[in-house]
Amino acid sequence: MSGYTFLLGSGISLQSGVQSVDEVTEALFDHDYFEHTDGSFVKGLNPSPELQQHYTVKPIQDFLRLIKERVDNYVRSRFLYVRQANYEDIFDIVQQIREETNTVRDNVGIEEFCKDIEKATFSIRNGYRNYPEGDVISLGDISEKALKFIEAVIKYGLNENELKGLGVLEELISKDYKLNLFTLNHDLLIEKLSDSLEVEYSDGFSDADGDVRWYDPTTWDNERRVKVYKIHGSRNWSLVRHKDKGQVHGIIVGKDSWHAKDKNGDNVDLLLRTGRILTGQKKFENYISGIHGEIHYRFTHHLRNCRNLLISGYGWNDVQLNWKLFDWLYRDEKNKMIIIHKEPENMAKYSRFLSYSDVERGVKQDKIVLIEKWFQEVSIEDIEKFTAR
């Protein structure tokens, strides 16, 4: 049975209605949300105007807007074609502010910046209503809420409208190819596509145990021919607690996520509602442990025996992942990247960590093959033609 290994990014999901990076960033400021009493964030307006006023996210949005203005200036000064900060840049800075103000780690480089932000945001923080009367929410606390808000907006932006533009994957899955799909996307397009074709896949989670599927990395070792590895997490991963298993990752498959039970009737308590996703420029810190560490280990191990890696939809903005890819590429003369992108020069132009000269050098050395088509235009014949070289 022949097979292929893919590395897939958000570009392949746009046809299905999943928001782009810029659209998610705009949604931080342009869409209505309110803060739930449990501390989560809900899209839309609260049915009660009075509660909407009390639980409004406007102070959080104003806080993020001020941060974005500061980061925009920095980004413009460093990158020729990147003109504004995205939600990952904003998340990264807010996370550093939270860590500095809550003394999570030492970072002398950001100390003065935090003092400046604390002064600049006083009126914003003073306007936050969901706090004890007379108190001003601290910089650390509003940063913590802002991080949760960003995660909620990301999750809502990842709701796919339809399965579209995935024709080559549909054909590969339906024709019994063995596929290793390493994806940076948090959406559920690959899972839904496999379900629609009635093809079982391995994603690192067990079969259903009542209302939950438990994290179990050994499932990647089974005989199912479609393997899905979500390098940056997934919007349907949850952090749950169980009397025997403790605090673990799981996927809630029951309709009532707040009252889930295993097949024996024991409670499965939901601890994290927004999905378990990695974002921000420091997400690499999670690459060495837990579920993400396991996936990166398997990616590295898989590459040892991989000769052709198909890449599409990736913006080349994860510098640690880029190092891993180019280290693999030049480790063995037989290794090749097959990059699927209709405009490869623009792909590099708008990347922060990929130079087109690196691409050109790889092409000249027959290490990189360019399929100059959009992902939705690619056929199995294209893939077979270029991977056979």
Side-chain angles (χ1 to χ4, degrees), residues 10 14 18-27 85-88:
S10 60
L14 300 180
V18 176
Q19 290 182 350
S20 68
V21 171
D22 288 343
E23 287 172 329
V24 173
T25 304
E26 291 169 4
N86 61 41
Y87 69 85
E88 290 208 290

Side-chain angles (χ1 to χ4, degrees), residues 4-6 178-182 227 229 295-309 328:
Y4 296 103
T5 298
F6 283 83
K178 185 177 180 181
L179 299 175
N180 288 282
L181 305 175
F182 293 89
K227 314 284 190 185
Y229 304 86
I295 291 173
H296 271 270
Y297 161 76
R298 287 179 177 268
F299 187 38
T300 302
H301 183 75
H302 182 78
L303 286 176
R304 291 176 187 167
N305 300 309
C306 178
R307 291 294 169 256
N308 296 300
L309 177 63
W328 163 81

Side-chain angles (χ1 to χ4, degrees), residues 142-184:
I142 199 170
S143 296
E144 180 70 36
K145 289 182 178 294
L147 294 175
K148 292 180 179 178
F149 175 64
I150 294 172
E151 290 175 339
V153 173
I154 294 170
K155 181 183 177 183
Y156 279 108
L158 299 179
N159 286 317
E160 51 281 335
N161 299 326
E162 56 184 328
L163 295 173
K164 191 175 179 181
L166 305 173
V168 69
L169 283 183
E170 181 176 358
E171 198 173 356
L172 288 168
I173 292 171
S174 62
K175 289 189 174 181
D176 294 335
Y177 286 85
K178 185 177 180 181
L179 299 175
N180 288 282
L181 305 175
F182 293 89
T183 175
L184 306 170

